[in-house]
Amino acid sequence: MLRISIQTKLRGALMAGGIGVFLVTAAPLEVAAQDRMPMRIAVEGAFPPFNYLDANNKLQGFDIDIANALCEVGKFECQFIIEKWDDIIPDLVADKYDAIISSMSMSLERRQKVAFSEKYYNSPSVFIARKDSSISDVSPAALSGKVLGVTSSTAQESYANHLYPDMKKTVFRSSPELYKGLADGSVDIILEDKLAIYDWIANTKAGSCCEFKGPDLVDVTYFGEGAGIALRLDDKERLTRLNEALKSIQADGTYDMINAKYFPFSIQ
């Protein structure tokens, strides 16, 4: 396997005692092949099971495994940078890194700012409420008077703001905080990516409190056509190489092995 130099920069992480900034650095790449293209990859690092920091401050998750596979097959020399979600597109455009591999939905609004690779997975959004909730209808009229939780700067927040404009909302900084807000009752219902919250509901004690409500939401205007890798609009060469690498890992079974590690069903 390719040995990848990883430098992670966590900004806005919640730590005991407040907000912290720290670096986690792995062993440097010993030899870089002449044809390897440098690629600085931004991830949020707070969106399990897709991307998160484990107990040893090491990046883990579906996005990370996919990125590592793409770096190997596409002959990239990769560096991971953990970035606060609100800043992730502005800092890409400002050339602070080269790609975002962080479960970013390819919405029409985002396509005006960045270029996207081909889709590397697809997931609907869905409402989730506690099992003891009386909520069954998730129409705007039925949810009148309820408090909706969403994560900041997400497609779900945009969808809620436009289709549920009169509903009271609480905006959380990360998905783990969103889930906690639902479990502890500070919000009545949340809107989230279905695959992102699947593991929390299915495999954690805290998540056993809650269940999906209403139909899957697949509005292309807000949620796009799945998750893609974001790059600067003029980065044509890197985009071509990433798309070719993505096709390769889908064809040789690498993608399926990564998929099976996290989900008992295909997410392509």
Side-chain angles (χ1 to χ4, degrees):
M1 295 291 290
L2 172 67
R3 294 184 61 191
I4 297 172
S5 172
I6 301 175
Q7 179 186 35
T8 62
K9 177 182 65 175
L10 184 59
R11 301 193 321 196
L14 290 176
M15 300 172 63
I19 302 299
V21 177
F22 60 92
L23 299 178
V24 181
T25 305
L29 187 69
E30 293 177 354
V31 179
Q34 293 298 318
D35 60 348
R36 292 202 183 279
M37 175 184 284
M39 183 162 68
R40 299 161 296 169
I41 301 171
V43 297
E44 182 189 13
F47 194 55
F50 289 95
N51 59 83
Y52 61 96
L53 287 172
D54 66 15
N56 297 314
N57 289 326
K58 182 178 179 181
L59 278 170
Q60 304 284 0
F62 177 85
D63 289 329
I64 309 307
D65 290 354
I66 290 292
N68 281 328
L70 293 174
C71 290
E72 181 172 358
V73 172
K75 296 184 179 180
F76 293 102
E77 182 183 352
C78 292
Q79 177 188 59
F80 288 91
I81 300 172
I82 298 182
E83 178 65 277
K84 188 167 62 174
W85 188 254
D86 289 354
D87 297 332
I88 206 162
I89 286 181
D91 282 356
L92 171 67
V93 174
D95 197 24
K96 294 184 178 180
Y97 33 78
D98 306 301
I100 300 170
I101 306 182
S102 194
S103 292
M104 180 168 282
S105 60
M106 299 183 287
S107 68
L108 295 177
E109 180 181 359
R110 287 173 177 155
R111 285 187 181 276
Q112 296 175 12
K113 302 173 183 177
V114 298
F116 280 105
S117 69
E118 295 296 321
K119 176 185 70 177
Y120 72 96
Y121 82 83
N122 199 12
S123 176
S125 291
V126 69
F127 286 100
I128 306 99
R130 292 182 299 280
K131 291 177 179 177
D132 60 5
S133 170
S134 61
I135 295 173
S136 58
D137 182 351
V138 294
S139 67
L143 292 180
S144 177
K146 303 295 185 182
V147 180
L148 172 65
V150 291
T151 305
S152 175
S153 301
T154 60
Q156 290 77 25
E157 182 187 17
S158 180
Y159 181 90
N161 286 339
H162 285 87
L163 277 77
Y164 293 75
D166 299 324
M167 193 174 182
K168 184 177 179 181
K169 302 173 188 71
T170 299
V171 180
F172 296 87
R173 289 179 293 182
S174 69
S175 289
E177 293 176 69
L178 176 70
Y179 305 165
K180 183 178 183 297
L182 177 62
D184 67 21
S186 62
V187 295
D188 300 304
I189 191 168
I190 65 173
L191 180 60
E192 174 65 308
D193 180 282
K194 190 172 186 178
L195 288 181
I197 202 169
Y198 167 81
D199 183 67
W200 183 74
I201 288 179
N203 299 317
T204 71
K205 183 177 180 180
S208 66
C209 67
C210 303
E211 62 187 1
F212 299 130
K213 297 288 186 178
D216 289 349
L217 305 174
V218 291
D219 192 316
V220 174
T221 300
Y222 298 98
F223 306 122
E225 299 171 343
I229 300 166
L231 303 100
R232 286 181 293 280
L233 291 169
D234 60 354
D235 198 351
K236 307 297 185 184
E237 182 182 357
R238 192 174 278 108
L239 177 61
T240 298
R241 287 178 65 160
L242 277 169
N243 279 331
E244 290 174 351
L246 181 57
K247 289 179 182 177
S248 179
I249 68 170
Q250 289 170 331
D252 69 8
T254 300
Y255 183 100
D256 290 338
M257 287 190 293
I258 296 172
N259 188 141
K261 178 179 175 181
Y262 296 95
F263 303 101
F265 46 81
S266 175
I267 68 171
Q268 287 198 72

